[in-house]
Amino acid sequence: MNNQLKVFFILFPLLLSAGFISRNEPLPAFQDEKGNQWVDSVFATLSPDERIAQLFMVAAYSNKDKKHEREIDSLVIKHKIGGLIFFQGGPVRQAVLTNRYQKAAKVPLLISIDGEWGLAMRLDSTTSFPKQMTLGAIQDETLIYEMGKEIARQCKRIGIHVNLAPVADVNNNPLNPVIGYRSFGEDKYNVARKAVMYMKGMQDNGVMANGKHFPGHGDTDSDSHKTLPTIASSKERMDSLELYPFRQMIKEGLGSMMVAHLYIPAYDTTRNTASTLSKKVVTDLLKNEMQFQGLVFTDALNMKGVSKFFAPGIVDVKALLAGNDVLLFAEDVPTAIDSIKKAIARGEISQEEIDQRCKKILKAKQWCGLDKLKPIRTKNLFDELNTPFAGLINRKLVENAMTLLSNRDSLIPLKRLDTLRIACVSLGHDDETTFYRMLHNYAPVDYFGLNKKAKDALCDSVIKWVDGYNLVIIQLDNLTTNPAKDFGLTEKMEYVMNCIIAKKKTIVSVFGSPYVLARLDSIRHAHAVVMNYEGTSLFEDYSAQLIFGGIGAKGRLPVTASEDFKLGQGLSTAPIRLKYTVPEEAGMSSSELSKIDSIALKGMKDKAYPGCQVLVVKEGKVVYQKAFGFHTYENKRPVKLTDLYDLASVTKISASTPALMRLVEEKKVHLDSAMSVYYKELNGTNKEKMTFRQVFTHQSGLPAWIPFWKRTVNKGVYRPGIYSTTPSKEYPYRVAEKLYISRSYPDSIMQRIISCEVDSPGKFVYSDLGYYLLQKIIEAQTGKPLDQYVTENFYRPLGLSYMGYKPRERFNLKQIAPTEYDVAFRKQLVWGDVHDQGAAMLGGVAGHAGLFANANDLAILMQMFLQKGEYGGMRYFDTATVAEFTRCQYCIDNRRAIGFDKPETNSEKTSPVCECVSYLSFGHTGFTGTIAWADPEKQLVYVFLSNRVYPDAEVNKLAKQGIRTKIQEVIYSSVNY
């Protein structure tokens, strides 16, 4: 190096800082630090060798053995290296080692990580944010900033100062084996905007970003980890395309830059010389022409792009001569230091240049807070890294990225679910997937999975199997990121997909690289295509929600995948159904809601019930959905979210009341008309003038109940002619296992109701009897049995897979929670048959009881009421109808609405709900240990299902302990948290 050049390297920074030389680009934040007293004082303590050592950043692991730890100890203590880059391991282990190494260091170590999608790129038990190709699809770039901010928080919590991200490469080569999904895409403007937002999110919060891989690794089909890729582009093309994102980041104050291992003849034709080792790239282009004043990192010096041609020591010297500041992943630090000293002695580089770079690194350390280094706290580290807020950001990113590429006839979101028979075919997995399970939250969906090794006969059987369906949803999954191997796509997967698309209305949901679309000729013929970019469970979850309208489609394709699917392509949709997410998205607290767990578990411990389901919806978002315990106290079958419970009196608002609402809207009945107008058998009786409004607010004078079953038993023995152990034309109605009742007996029940006494009309007395009468009216006015009518008009259109009467006919018995061991009447465990005796004597279908469901289906029905009669793009009731049926009707000593229960306003009376609910709220409870409640003021739905009557209905610990109310109180405290 000539003397003039030496003088330039020494004087340029001084003249620049003094203002004698103008700069167009702003300084990185660490260069703007006021006061360098710490930097100067530390520098003064360093020997020339130690100043050289500050330039090294060595690879460290928290999942290796003691030998590795001792090697790092030696490099820190003996050679006094400047920093560490941590790779694989775990957060607590890394924190412990960081504390150990920092304590041993003379100068605090600059700690970095290669965390492009967060700490999870290298560490287990941490949040994995989406890859950059996924982020490239997002239109709301503030989310990228928020992700950068959260990654910075996590980095700082674990003692990391530099995150080697974002990747600012423009990926304009679909065959790129090393960048691909790590890039924001092929549009330089999109890449630049998102890279800047990611960078700012981190640097605004105290963690240095690192732009990579300068000057652009996107247009190559080889991997610099394995060889030296060539970029054949001209300077003009590089300047207009690849360099653009890096320029934008420099303008915004980028703290550090990583130089790639690339052979770029347009800049340097020196044989086998990577851009990392090229002075023309690092110094002339990056530092001088582009005026970058941040730290310049080499890419890892153990990569074959450089190590294939130059031995340790030589490669380090060449990297310094090129102009790099930080030597990353040096393979042999002692050899490298010795080689650098020899280069100084030969005059190839001066000690002054080393000193300037050392000071630059020290200034970066000061900006990162290493002048005030404190040990990392390991207590609560896992919880403080994996916060609910981190999970919420992750969800928002995934939701905003998913891209609807085609949508013929506006198929998505799916509507008119009662017209659809849906099959889900997974190509890649044979086990049930998260995607399928989420689909099943919205509608009945049948599943068939094929793994990649499925035999031809099985593939053909699936192709034939879908003939029975009018919509097929294909999950294309278990893909890879390797373009050389067709991204993991097999001929069998493509064959099955082609055959299904050729004959069925099909939605294809792709979980992998968008470039795989170019391998799928038939996909353009699918009715809808959803691009999900990654195959994680969260993408599966949200992709299913997108298809049914739990979320809307917002993403845009960040690359051109094929002739049919090009850059920027993407359609928008709006949400129309429940969304499944985390409490924080609805402004609630996960930690507060977790108190429900302890209440539910204590109820089980106290044997108030053997198991239960709890579900909470806030503002149309399912924020809590859990199953606890077992079906019985024998603890043999755990409760699942798909299991069914006997709803008992919740049937009133889930079957009879909506049916009545529909009849009122159709003007087939009138609330203030006498029921006798529609049920002639009441004419001439003491019930002739009872109106619907009176009966279904429970102040008609009807008695509370009639134990119909008792007349069929004499001293514990069934009376002759009433029951049979087998079904027949004469005994068609199932009461319980091997117990069928005479076809004439339901008429006897109705006659007893018609002839029963009426007492104190106008006084509130809760009664089931009006619902027996209502069932007759509904069936007469509609011409259909009650169960058929409500299924066709409400349950199927709403997509309620589990709600319905007579569950034994539709589900495996093991999926139904048993209720009471009825020793007096049925003399057996009631399991899969309605618990209520009167409803059982009607064959399991009644207006007041008989309905079974899981919590999810019941929540959907309640959400429809909460949304004033509209759900899933369909209107079931007029707003005015819902308002009329859910308002308190008389309100003096009677809190009831029509069919619905309401909060008790009289403090001296027992309320079905906690005091925290609004008076606008409505719902119902059930004898078996159930509740469904909706609150329009707070936009809340609460469902609790249990079989508290198992094995004995008389001991009601659930009510005595107020468990349902206590859970509701927690829900409201979480809203106000």
Side-chain angles (χ1 to χ4, degrees), residues 268-518:
D268 195 335
T269 58
T270 306
R271 184 178 174 82
N272 297 332
T273 297
S275 47
T276 330
L277 309 183
S278 170
K279 177 179 173 294
K280 293 179 180 179
V281 172
V282 180
T283 298
D284 297 346
L285 176 61
L286 179 59
K287 287 188 167 183
N288 293 342
E289 183 182 329
M290 298 177 69
Q291 298 184 34
F292 180 61
Q293 299 298 306
L295 288 179
V296 181
F297 283 63
T298 68
D299 206 342
L301 294 177
N302 69 327
M303 291 166 61
K304 295 300 181 183
V306 290
S307 65
K308 180 179 179 180
F309 306 104
F310 303 102
I314 297 174
V315 73
D316 303 272
V317 170
K318 285 185 172 293
L320 285 182
L321 293 176
N324 294 283
D325 301 311
V326 179
L327 304 176
L328 187 69
F329 212 138
E331 293 188 273
D332 188 340
V333 172
T335 297
I337 291 176
D338 186 59
S339 297
I340 293 168
K341 289 169 66 177
K342 289 177 181 177
I344 294 171
R346 291 193 300 267
E348 295 176 0
I349 189 169
S350 69
Q351 182 66 49
E352 289 81 6
E353 293 171 69
I354 299 294
D355 291 351
Q356 288 299 323
R357 296 181 200 185
C358 175
K359 283 188 176 181
K360 192 175 179 182
I361 289 169
L362 291 176
K363 289 179 75 173
K365 288 186 176 184
Q366 179 178 323
W367 181 84
C368 292
L370 284 169
D371 56 335
K372 302 179 181 66
L373 178 66
K374 294 180 181 179
I376 304 163
R377 292 179 295 103
T378 56
K379 184 178 180 181
N380 299 325
L381 179 59
F382 174 84
D383 290 337
E384 291 177 20
L385 290 176
N386 297 281
T387 63
F389 183 69
L392 176 58
I393 291 174
N394 208 14
R395 284 179 167 271
K396 286 182 176 180
L397 293 167
V398 170
E399 177 184 349
N400 280 267
M402 286 187 302
T403 307
L404 182 60
L405 293 175
S406 61
N407 193 25
R408 197 185 310 169
D409 301 324
S410 299
L411 178 61
I412 291 176
L414 297 177
K415 302 180 183 71
R416 289 301 311 269
L417 300 182
D418 54 328
T419 68
L420 299 176
R421 181 163 168 75
I422 307 172
C424 173
V425 177
S426 174
L427 300 180
H429 292 286
D430 47 12
D431 295 333
E432 285 189 3
T433 62
T434 300
F435 178 70
Y436 162 69
R437 287 190 289 271
M438 181 53 71
L439 290 175
H440 216 282
N441 271 335
Y442 290 102
V445 178
D446 294 330
Y447 178 81
F448 205 115
L450 289 171
N451 64 41
K452 291 183 177 182
K453 297 180 180 180
K455 294 183 178 180
D456 292 345
L458 186 59
C459 293
D460 290 336
S461 69
V462 172
I463 294 167
K464 185 176 180 181
W465 174 71
V466 300
D467 285 341
Y469 300 86
N470 60 10
L471 176 65
V472 181
I473 301 173
I474 294 177
Q475 176 185 10
L476 189 61
D477 201 4
N478 200 11
L479 299 172
T480 70
T481 59
N482 190 346
K485 295 185 177 180
D486 290 328
F487 300 99
L489 184 70
T490 67
E491 290 183 3
K492 288 182 180 179
M493 294 166 75
E494 192 169 3
Y495 168 72
V496 173
M497 189 177 75
N498 291 346
C499 291
I500 293 175
I501 289 175
K503 65 177 182 176
K504 287 293 173 182
K505 182 182 289 187
T506 308
I507 296 171
V508 181
S509 197
V510 181
F511 295 88
S513 168
Y515 293 122
V516 77
L517 296 171

Side-chain angles (χ1 to χ4, degrees), residues 45 239 287 301 330 352 432 444 570 572 608 679 688 743 752 814 857 882 899 909:
T45 68
D239 184 72
K287 287 188 167 183
L301 294 177
E352 289 81 6
E432 285 189 3
S572 297
Y679 189 50
E688 184 175 13
R743 65 178 182 176
R752 288 194 65 188
K814 293 180 179 179
D857 277 12
V882 177
K909 294 183 179 180

Side-chain angles (χ1 to χ4, degrees), residues 940-953:
L940 272 170
V941 169
Y942 163 46
V943 176
F944 176 95
L945 302 182
S946 77
N947 53 337
R948 72 95 192 158
V949 293
Y950 177 87
D952 182 0

